[in-house]
Amino acid sequence: MSMSFAKALAPLSQRIPRVVREHEVLRVTSWMPGDDPSAIARRAVAEVLKWAQRRAGGQLPAEAWDGRSFEFFSGGRNSSAVRLQAGTSDIWAIRADDPDKTVPERVWTTEVVLGLLPGEPAKFGARLLVSTPEVNLPIEPHTPGFVQQVAAKCRLMAGSQAILSTASEFIDGDDPEALIDHLLDPGRVLPTFVLTLPDVASADTPLIDPKSLARAVLGLAHVVVAHPATSWQLTERFGRRLSVFGGAARVYLPGFDDGADPYRHRLILMGELASAEGLARAMRWLRDTAAQESVRRTRLGSDVLTFAAIRSAALELYQTSLREGAASESKQLSAAQAQIIALQSQIEALRSEQDYYVTEYQKERERAEVAEAQAQASAYRIQTISDQLKSVGGNPDQGIVLPTQWSDLDDWCDRQFAGRLVLTPRARRGVRKPEFEAVQTAAYCLLWLATNGRDQRINGGGSLSNIPVMNGIQNAPCGADTYEFDWNGRRFSADWHIKNGGNVRDPVRCLRIYYCFDEQTQQIVVSDLPAHRRTGAT
């Protein structure tokens, strides 16, 4: 009779120690402005040591306050610091352990690195890790308290933006472009959480508490409160699909622009915040997002230095000095053993990071596969319903009203042509403020593509080459103007376009809609509009 491994090992399970894994919770990477980087770094070290002292369970040694390397052991609340000076570079790092007060075997570890490099401002970095045998880790990430101390005493910058411990408010009368400039800033490296006020006359604060959220994600994300006038400016600038208003909240990730995918910059609707449970769930998700993005967007060894790597480098320098000073073999052996231990810790940190990225890749791949399957199923369902309606003499597109403003065009396409026609980010940017004036002409051409043009692609019924779409406008192959583009992780060729007649190059009168047909999703993919593209042929 066969027996599974699990059953065979069941009697021994109590004797087998549980596997303890180290998980990285969050990373803070920043720099500190000022004319005297050395003095600023010393001030920051002092703030970190004050924080470490409160958690140490004892008095830190004098070496700590002198800015030198030290080790302090106190019943699991251990602290170690390394000072690495090489040439004109000066790096100080500390690693502090703190057993969880309520969960057995869970240990929190904080690493902080401060660096001085010649000709550069002082660098500040921190990592929060947790070692635990728990399979699931039900925690709500929160930036360690010393980050707020350092931000208050020394100022911290992430990219081109200041790290603030309070939410920024954009109210009536403020520069309406300030928030837009912030979101579009290419130097913004942190997510921005925009909270808005409910559409109630008495509402003066968002549903999500901006103060507690700003403290929790300090150094991980920016928190902004947008009052109604600012929300309106966002809608005017980016359209409803990329805006946020009426008590909702939105996450604007770094790299956001006019053509961004709205689903990447998640919107939390007011309805999701209507209950205490919904508010708690949203707050937890925002904190998780900030922490996960901080790990996902930074790299160990470049953006963030680990304590193990710095200790290993310091031990290597020490070992070299021992050899050059003809130290005894016992001293050299002791230094070599310490360096081996440091290298093992460094390897473990890199292995942990690799495991994290592999896990994240698998999650993203599964989400992408599910999303693609759902999109295809939805498109098939839409097509089936449309065919059934047509078979009984109905017209699913009857009564469609063409938009009169370019700012409404992309939303209109999303609502009317879901599963049939899609605009790429470049196409969405093209309709922000084009010179071509006849918005309803372009809209009618898109309607033709989503209906007649697509139906002929799917069902056949004659050539689509050089056939009229409306008076003076025809559908034709791109010919020498064909070009390749990427969309949704795949490569396509824009080999067809809708164009108005004659050799028109005036952007006010010239219309071009470049597109292709995606056999896999059965959609028209519009790559660019409404201007004529500059190509090798033109």
Side-chain angles (χ1 to χ4, degrees):
M1 180 178 174
S2 63
M3 180 181 291
S4 68
F5 284 121
K7 290 182 178 179
L9 293 175
L12 301 175
S13 60
Q14 298 301 319
R15 302 181 187 179
I16 299 175
R18 292 198 292 172
V19 177
V20 176
R21 290 186 173 86
E22 186 176 73
H23 306 267
E24 188 164 9
V25 180
L26 58 85
R27 295 173 183 170
V28 176
T29 58
S30 60
W31 58 279
M32 297 179 287
D35 296 330
D36 190 347
S38 180
I40 293 170
R42 288 195 301 271
R43 196 181 311 147
V45 168
E47 293 300 321
V48 175
L49 285 173
K50 291 176 186 177
W51 171 84
Q53 176 67 78
R54 291 194 295 268
R55 289 174 164 247
Q59 189 65 35
L60 295 178
E63 294 91 336
W65 305 102
D66 291 339
R68 291 181 286 157
S69 301
F70 73 87
E71 288 189 334
F72 177 79
F73 302 99
S74 177
R77 294 186 174 185
N78 306 325
S79 300
S80 301
V82 173
R83 179 79 176 274
L84 175 60
Q85 294 173 293
T88 55
S89 299
D90 191 353
I91 298 176
W92 179 87
I94 188 171
R95 179 182 172 100
D97 296 327
D98 187 13
D100 195 283
K101 297 176 178 60
T102 58
V103 181
E105 299 183 82
R106 182 192 287 180
V107 178
W108 296 94
T109 298
T110 306
E111 294 186 0
V112 185
V113 177
L114 285 122
L116 286 172
L117 301 176
E120 296 186 19
K123 303 294 195 300
F124 175 87
R127 302 171 69 214
L128 178 63
L129 308 102
V130 59
S131 299
T132 179
E134 300 166 272
V135 177
N136 297 314
L137 196 58
I139 63 171
E140 295 186 20
H142 193 294
T143 304
F146 64 83
V147 178
Q148 185 166 354
Q149 296 171 220
V150 175
K153 297 287 185 178
C154 307
R155 294 178 60 205
L156 292 176
M157 302 287 293
S160 61
Q161 308 268 340
I163 292 176
L164 303 176
S165 57
T166 58
S168 301
E169 288 208 43
F170 293 85
I171 60 178
D172 298 355
D174 281 355
D175 177 6
E177 295 294 323
L179 179 54
I180 293 172
D181 292 342
H182 166 83
L183 295 177
L184 294 177
D185 184 359
R188 180 170 66 92
V189 297
L190 301 181
T192 297
F193 300 158
V194 179
L195 315 179
T196 64
L197 276 59
D199 289 330
V200 180
S202 59
D204 57 359
T205 60
L207 296 174
I208 296 174
D209 181 9
K211 294 181 180 178
S212 59
L213 179 59
R215 286 194 299 268
V217 301
L218 177 64
L220 309 177
H222 304 288
V223 178
V224 165
V225 177
H227 287 246
T230 304
S231 296
W232 175 249
Q233 288 291 334
L234 289 180
T235 305
E236 281 284 291
R237 179 66 170 80
F238 302 120
R240 294 175 62 90
R241 59 191 294 277
L242 288 172
S243 183
V244 57
F245 47 84
R250 188 159 213 150
V251 178
Y252 290 94
L253 297 176
F256 171 79
D257 60 21
D258 300 73
D261 178 359
Y263 300 105
R264 285 195 66 244
H265 306 271
R266 180 175 167 180
L267 178 67
I268 303 176
L269 297 173
M270 182 178 172
E272 301 177 58
L273 308 174
S275 64
E277 294 80 4
L279 277 173
R281 186 164 52 248
M283 176 70 85
R284 185 168 55 250
W285 182 82
L286 288 169
R287 288 166 60 167
D288 284 339
T289 297
Q292 291 168 7
E293 286 295 318
S294 73
V295 176
R296 183 181 294 117
R297 291 180 177 274
T298 54
R299 294 291 181 269
L300 291 181
S302 55
D303 303 311
V304 183
L305 296 178
T306 66
F307 179 81
I310 296 168
R311 182 173 60 179
S312 176
L315 288 170
E316 184 176 352
L317 285 176
Y318 176 62
Q319 195 174 11
T320 300
S321 67
L322 290 178
R323 285 197 302 268
E324 293 175 349
S328 65
E329 291 184 357
S330 61
K331 276 191 174 182
Q332 293 189 46
L333 178 60
S334 177
Q337 289 173 336
Q339 187 180 9
I340 289 172
I341 294 173
L343 287 171
Q344 288 173 337
S345 298
Q346 189 176 355
I347 291 170
E348 186 58 36
L350 292 172
R351 183 182 292 119
S352 176
E353 184 184 41
Q354 183 182 35
D355 291 342
Y356 168 82
Y357 286 121
V358 168
T359 302
E360 286 299 302
Y361 167 75
Q362 291 171 341
K363 289 179 182 178
E364 292 297 332
R365 180 179 175 182
E366 290 171 0
R367 278 195 287 265
E369 289 175 348
V370 170
E372 188 168 343
Q374 290 176 338
Q376 292 188 23
S378 297
Y380 177 77
R381 177 66 174 163
I382 290 170
Q383 184 64 41
T384 300
I385 294 174
S386 297
D387 292 343
Q388 290 174 346
L389 186 58
K390 290 177 182 178
S391 68
V392 296
N395 181 2
D397 298 306
Q398 186 175 4
I400 287 183
V401 178
L402 300 179
T404 58
Q405 300 180 41
W406 284 111
S407 58
D408 298 330
L409 186 72
D410 51 0
D411 286 336
W412 177 78
C413 285
D414 292 339
R415 291 194 310 271
Q416 303 294 344
F417 307 139
R420 296 186 290 174
L421 179 144
V422 63
L423 303 180
T424 66
R426 182 182 179 89
R428 294 179 187 278
R429 289 193 296 271
V431 299
R432 281 298 165 210
K433 291 182 179 180
E435 295 184 63
F436 185 72
E437 296 176 342
V439 57
Q440 290 195 317
T441 298
Y444 180 85
C445 293
L446 292 172
L447 173 62
W448 182 89
L449 274 176
T451 54
N452 296 14
R454 178 174 176 270
D455 289 346
Q456 271 190 252
R457 289 276 186 174
I458 295 174
N459 303 320
S463 172
L464 286 167
S465 181
N466 300 316
I467 64 174
V469 175
M470 59 186 299
N471 186 32
I473 297 177
Q474 64 178 353
N475 184 70
C478 286
D481 285 345
T482 297
Y483 63 94
E484 294 190 335
F485 67 96
D486 293 320
W487 177 73
N488 210 18
R490 295 160 57 206
R491 175 57 64 94
F492 294 87
S493 290
D495 49 359
W496 288 82
H497 60 356
I498 287 179
K499 63 177 183 176
N500 50 6
N503 189 24
V504 180
R505 288 292 184 271
D506 181 0
V508 175
R509 298 182 295 117
C510 176
L511 173 66
R512 294 293 187 276
I513 300 177
Y514 299 88
Y515 73 93
C516 68
F517 180 69
D518 179 14
E519 295 283 355
Q520 181 173 322
T521 63
Q522 299 284 284
Q523 291 187 102
I524 298 291
V525 182
V526 177
S527 170
D528 202 0
L529 80 157
H532 192 287
R533 283 177 55 89
R534 289 185 177 274
T535 66
T538 58

